[in-house]
Amino acid sequence: MSKQPSLLGGAMIITGTVVGAGMLANPTATSGVWFLGSLLVLLYTWFSMLTSGLMILEVNTHYPSGASFDTLVRDLLGKGWNIVNGMAVAFVLYLLTYAYIFVGSNLTTAAIGLNPAENLWVGQMVFFLIFAGCVWWSARVVDRFTSVLIGGMILTFIWATSGLLSTAKIPVLLDSAAPADTRYWIYAGTALPVCLASFGFHGNVSSLFKYFDGDAPKVARALWIGTLIALVIYALWQLAIHGNLPRSAFTPVIAADGDIGVLIGELSKFASTGSMAKILSFFSYMAIASSFLGVTLGLLDYLTDLFGFDNSRSGRNKAAAITFLPPLVACLLFPTGFVTVIGYVGLAATVWTGLVPALLLYASRKKHGLGKGYRVYGGTGLVIWVFVFGVINILAQLLSRADILPVFKG
């Protein structure tokens, strides 16, 4: 008898997918609302994103193991929504795969002692062959590898931030030195999309449902544990940064688009940062690798469902080829091309992490009734909550691009 997949392993897949290198952008993106505001925005986003993921899970219980977005949306929402959702899913997951190969290959090339400017392709192939090979082999290998990476991330995170956590100051956290008329909540709109991108795992819900042989309550526990671990990591990171670097000192960091080197440079004026830059580079590498594993596992299972591949080795080979070869070739030919479209990832992701899950659950309950063995908490009110959450995020992103929403400059 084969060993049953572990709950912890499933949770680590979720944590690994969620906690990408984008987490380093959170303190800068939320500097306008500052520490307490950032915690509320993160909590609101975490609850809404977790709930939308659990909605997908309940819908999944009415379909065969292996059914992903294509089957669910086509059956419940029709061809039009399926085209829109499919384009959004493919755009986000392919672009993230492309971006992770690019960033991971830079770090890999440097790690093996080569010059990234001259030998980037070597790092691309090494990174790709190791981590894409894990996803191609099986979800169980992803489970094991991700657990190791998350363990390393937690150790390096504690190593990098323990000093800053101990020196965090309450007056800095509360921005006590700010003038009495200082405004914070007007900047919530620009913070929301970044926080949404920090809790993306929805492509993995169907993968875990399949991995756990249709045990929906176990998948739900994995989603809770995995996202809660991510929430704690984010909150501690906010505490470490916002507790040492005053809000008024964020101007150079914002001007540099949250560049981690600039952030650490400014932090060093107020607290001892030691070898923080080197430690965070290790953290970033493991975060990128674990996110690559989670994102591509979800993409592979989505494409398997879309093209009707079976679960044989031949079927998995076909799905892996469609999953990995396009972003690899694009990265080899156009290594920085994603920069021009990466800003639209959050907008596209909102479609299938906010709007579509709410619509799916509403349609599913009308057609199938309650979930088999699992029902997400709440009724119609929660469906409306998640849908409105998606609408708010789309408006926030569109209004930010139109320079209508106020942006904190420091």
Side-chain angles (χ1 to χ4, degrees):
M1 182 181 294
S2 60
K3 185 180 178 182
Q4 289 296 307
S6 71
L7 174 62
L8 181 61
M12 290 302 98
I13 289 176
I14 296 301
T15 302
T17 305
V18 170
V19 184
M23 122 172 188
L24 302 177
N26 281 349
T28 304
T30 60
S31 56
V33 294
W34 204 233
F35 180 65
L36 294 180
S38 72
L39 294 186
L40 290 174
V41 171
L42 282 169
L43 191 62
Y44 166 64
T45 303
W46 163 77
F47 175 74
S48 301
M49 292 287 275
L50 170 64
T51 302
S52 67
L54 294 173
M55 288 176 171
I56 297 170
L57 174 61
E58 181 181 324
V59 175
N60 249 128
T61 63
H62 297 288
Y63 295 87
S65 176
S68 189
F69 269 115
D70 181 68
T71 295
L72 308 185
V73 179
R74 177 165 28 87
D75 183 53
L76 293 171
L77 302 181
K79 185 177 180 180
W81 267 108
N82 194 38
I83 292 172
V84 172
N85 189 73
M87 290 175 64
V89 170
F91 176 77
V92 172
L93 297 186
Y94 268 126
L95 191 60
L96 287 178
T97 301
Y98 174 20
Y100 287 141
I101 292 174
F102 171 72
V103 179
S105 61
N106 264 295
L107 296 172
T108 301
T109 304
I112 58 180
L114 298 176
N115 183 353
E118 300 173 357
N119 300 285
L120 183 61
W121 69 273
V122 178
Q124 288 173 333
M125 294 308 300
V126 171
F127 180 89
F128 175 82
L129 289 173
I130 292 174
F131 296 107
C134 292
V135 178
W136 166 76
W137 192 257
S138 71
R140 187 177 291 276
V141 174
V142 174
D143 166 345
R144 298 291 186 267
F145 213 150
T146 304
S147 296
V148 173
L149 290 169
I150 294 296
M153 285 168 60
I154 291 174
L155 288 175
T156 53
F157 179 79
I158 293 172
W159 187 11
T161 61
S162 57
L164 292 177
L165 291 172
S166 65
T167 58
K169 305 168 187 67
I170 292 179
V172 178
L173 288 171
L174 300 179
D175 198 25
S176 301
D181 61 347
T182 299
R183 295 187 295 174
Y184 299 90
W185 284 108
I186 61 171
Y187 303 112
T190 54
L192 275 170
V194 177
C195 292
L196 179 144
S198 299
F199 283 103
F201 63 88
H202 298 63
N204 296 100
V205 176
S206 298
S207 300
L208 285 187
F209 188 66
K210 174 183 175 183
Y211 183 44
F212 286 134
D213 296 322
D215 189 342
K218 191 172 184 179
V219 177
R221 291 194 295 273
L223 299 186
W224 273 95
I225 294 170
T227 57
L228 276 170
I229 292 173
L231 180 63
V232 170
I233 291 174
Y234 291 153
L236 290 175
W237 179 239
Q238 296 289 113
L239 176 61
I241 303 302
H242 286 181
N244 289 280
L245 182 61
R247 185 174 184 260
S248 57
F250 256 86
T251 305
V253 184
I254 295 169
D257 290 326
D259 181 88
I260 191 64
V262 176
L263 175 63
I264 293 173
E266 292 302 309
L267 262 176
S268 64
K269 299 175 183 178
F270 299 91
S272 174
T273 55
S275 56
M276 186 177 178
K278 185 173 291 186
I279 300 167
L280 283 179
S281 69
F282 288 119
F283 173 89
S284 297
Y285 189 83
M286 288 182 282
I288 289 164
S290 63
S291 291
F292 176 87
L293 292 173
V295 164
T296 54
L297 177 64
L299 178 58
L300 185 141
D301 284 335
Y302 170 73
L303 294 172
T304 296
D305 179 44
L306 176 65
F307 292 105
F309 297 135
D310 58 31
N311 204 36
S312 65
R313 183 52 64 186
S314 172
R316 203 162 179 85
N317 287 343
K318 295 173 185 175
I322 299 174
T323 299
F324 295 114
L325 291 182
L328 175 64
V329 171
C331 201
L332 288 169
L333 297 178
F334 312 103
T336 58
F338 71 89
V339 173
T340 57
V341 289
I342 195 77
Y344 295 95
V345 163
L347 193 62
T350 306
V351 171
W352 54 280
T353 62
L355 303 183
V356 167
L359 294 174
L360 280 175
L361 185 65
Y362 181 76
S364 176
R365 287 183 174 177
K366 284 185 67 176
K367 180 173 182 176
H368 301 295
L370 301 181
K372 300 174 183 176
Y374 179 77
R375 180 187 180 188
V376 65
Y377 44 80
T380 304
L382 206 65
V383 173
I384 295 172
W385 171 287
V386 170
F387 188 82
V388 170
F389 166 77
V391 171
I392 289 172
N393 269 274
I394 287 175
L395 289 175
Q397 292 174 73
L398 293 176
L399 294 175
S400 293
R401 292 186 179 282
D403 293 324
I404 296 173
L405 281 182
V407 178
F408 181 64
K409 301 291 186 181

